[in-house]
Amino acid sequence: MHIQQLQLKNYRNYESLDMTFDHAINVIIGENAQGKTNLMEAIYLLAFTKSHRTPREKELVKWEEEYAKIEGRVTKRNQSFPLEIVISAKGKKAKLNRMEQKKLSDYIGAFNVVMFAPEDLTLVKGAPQIRRRFMDMELGQIQPRYIYHLGQFQKILKQRNHVLKQLQRQSTQDRTMLYVLTDQLIEHAATLLERRFVFLTLLRKWASPIHYGISRQLETLHIAYDPTIDVSEEANKGKIADIYNRKFSEIEDKEIDRGTTLIGPHRDDLLFYVNDKNVQIYGSQGQQRTTALAVKLAEIELIYNEVGEYPILLLDDVLSELDDYRQSHLLETIQGKVQTFVSTTSVDGIQHETLNQAAIFRVRDGKVES
């Protein structure tokens, strides 16, 4: 899988841009605030229909312009097809092969991308929502239907929290709507949890041996799921739904007192153990970075095994954050099999034959020279 061409119109600081890429390594060099990360973001957005940097889509439209457009031509399974995202005050439109897609689940997964940026180094030690987002984005790529269940869950969760707030304030005493919404929430929550368990099994399969290699065979990695209910990873959807039912009944009064939903996939977490110690709490910065790198490299292999082709890899200003050994391990792992985009302020100090063969692009003030 690779992206051949990218066209931007009124996107961030780009008035107009038309680029073609090398099938192997593309290095984008530029000082900060010149537009190199905007290029990476545009490729990411073409895959996921949303930015990894901001939820406010109006920020993506160039100042004083009415719309932004991102177009790309992608090759997957030896077929070439166009993708298009248009963002305006009227909303967002996504086209796959020139056909507008009404559902995100019909679009996401057509183009697979793995992003590794400095903020991903906080995957291990950062807040739980970072790890939940990681699971949701990767699951959405390999199982687009997951996006539908996630969207429904988030919509019902918002409604349920509103009802809990009303009961908390005693503006209503009737709990009928709470029970209806709880039943609907459980349906989607059980599906999300079941699929996350399957994803975790696949992630472990690839991350553990990769981590063992990066750590020079000195450390073993184990990834555990930390749910808000007492449930086995082997449980099927029906069993998970039964456990949610019982738990929601037990904590009903407590949720009303708090005015919010206290259990569910929106409060779950991932735990990382290196040599049986929680690396989030007890790990050194080096161990935390090795774990994050192993997980990102595992994503690449996981997608390849589920989809049948390697995803595009975006390395956004991350090489300078890794020491020489981790840099080399990363670049050697991807060499020759993954179309890769590297953004950096300079390639000085990054000594690797992979970059010597790369296509070089220089970015300055929203203009790109190859």
Side-chain angles (χ1 to χ4, degrees), residues 14 27-37 39 316-317 342-347 360-365 367:
Y14 290 96
V27 177
I28 300 163
I29 302 172
E31 295 300 322
N32 293 329
Q34 298 303 301
K36 63 183 187 301
T37 293
L39 272 181
D316 187 20
D317 260 343
V342 178
S343 74
T344 181
T345 53
S346 171
V347 290
I360 305 293
F361 301 90
R362 298 188 183 276
V363 179
R364 183 169 183 176
D365 195 24
K367 302 283 191 301

Side-chain angles (χ1 to χ4, degrees), residues 225-241:
Y225 194 85
D226 185 24
T228 49
I229 55 173
D230 187 10
V231 60
S232 162
E233 288 182 20
E234 288 73 40
N236 60 25
K237 180 183 171 183
K239 178 68 173 174
I240 295 169

